[in-house]
Amino acid sequence: SLSCRLYCEEEKDPKRRSCQTVLAEALDVVVRSFAPILPHLAEEVFQHLPYKKDSEGVFRTGWINASSGWKKPGIEEAIEGACAMRDSFLGSISGKNALEYEVIIVIEPGLLFELMEALQAEESSSVSQLNEIMMASQTTLLSELPKETPADANITKGTFLINLEGGDIREESSYKVIALPTVRAKCPRCRRYTSDSSSTPCPRCLKVIAGRGST
């Protein structure tokens, strides 16, 4: 998921830029954390950061100062819930390549469904945050079971306890994860099974390639 954002998205795409921002913030925190015990290494790393020109150095710019903007209400629970569903999905395919599957997540309307919608606004997506966490080729988010489910589908059930506002908001929700072998071909560029032909890039990659050609 990380490599797909960095190497497959358009250079200035918000998904790619947000990934770079998170990596830069993580590196900043790690370097400042070990600076007191490994000062020379920390300073060397800090001086070679390509986005910090004319830096005063790690010891003259203060201690860790994470922005409050990183702590968004509900985002931790959303990620933990998605990871629980991913574990259910991966467990159902017994070590097989997750990219060879499409996933359908079924959650009854409620808080958990709303949290998942924050990670995927569309009903189906191959590029959403939710799909990146699931590690599948495509993820579909539904509030009820589809009318028809293929015979070769793997269906797992689970529950997730949401705990918000220090325990003031608690809600246990059930979910179903349906794993379906994908019928799409592997994209030769991003390696996801989202293409109509193994010799043709998928729609997302075609859009990125076309954008590069016009710049």
Side-chain angles (χ1 to χ4, degrees):
S1 298
L2 181 67
S3 60
C4 194
R5 279 194 179 198
L6 287 174
Y7 301 117
C8 296
E9 297 293 354
E10 197 169 356
E11 183 178 1
K12 295 183 180 180
D13 188 284
K15 290 190 288 292
R16 183 176 186 273
R17 297 291 290 145
S18 65
C19 182
Q20 290 177 310
T21 299
V22 170
L23 290 174
E25 185 73 12
L27 179 61
D28 186 85
V29 170
V30 169
V31 172
R32 293 182 192 277
S33 297
F34 67 64
I37 56 175
L38 294 171
H40 297 293
L41 176 60
E43 187 63 30
E44 184 175 0
V45 172
F46 214 76
Q47 293 297 332
H48 284 82
L49 296 177
Y51 47 86
K52 286 186 179 291
K53 302 297 183 182
D54 302 322
S55 172
E56 294 182 358
V58 67
F59 294 102
R60 297 192 180 193
T61 51
W63 185 236
I64 299 169
N65 185 24
S67 169
S68 59
W70 290 103
K71 192 168 181 60
K72 295 182 179 179
I75 193 65
E76 182 177 353
E77 287 72 18
I79 298 298
E80 288 180 351
C83 287
M85 297 174 198
R86 179 193 62 195
D87 292 344
S88 296
F89 161 55
L90 295 178
S92 72
I93 61 175
S94 304
K96 296 178 182 177
N97 185 0
L99 287 174
E100 295 180 1
Y101 288 82
E102 296 180 9
V103 174
I104 300 175
I105 298 174
V106 183
I107 310 171
E108 292 185 358
L111 187 53
L112 182 59
F113 187 86
E114 293 174 5
L115 290 175
M116 292 306 104
E117 281 189 314
L119 300 177
Q120 179 169 299
E122 311 89 345
E123 182 176 283
S124 297
S125 177
S126 61
V127 296
S128 68
Q129 289 178 299
L130 179 58
N131 188 66
E132 289 185 354
I133 294 172
M134 296 303 294
M135 300 167 60
S137 275
Q138 179 175 285
T139 296
T140 299
L141 181 62
L142 301 176
S143 59
E144 57 183 18
L145 279 170
K147 294 181 179 179
E148 296 183 2
T149 304
D152 59 348
N154 293 323
I155 303 177
T156 56
K157 300 178 181 180
T159 59
F160 182 75
L161 178 63
I162 299 170
N163 192 341
L164 293 172
E165 304 295 335
D168 292 338
I169 301 176
R170 291 173 64 88
E171 181 178 300
E172 187 172 55
S173 300
S174 60
Y175 61 83
K176 295 182 180 69
V177 178
I178 306 172
L180 301 167
T182 185
V183 296
R184 308 295 295 275
K186 181 190 287 187
C187 171
R189 182 173 180 271
C190 70
R191 319 301 289 179
R192 290 187 176 182
Y193 290 79
T194 52
S195 181
D196 293 329
S197 168
S198 59
S199 60
T200 306
C202 66
R204 186 272 301 272
C205 287
L206 285 173
K207 182 179 178 181
V208 173
I209 293 171
R212 288 178 176 176
S214 61
T215 57

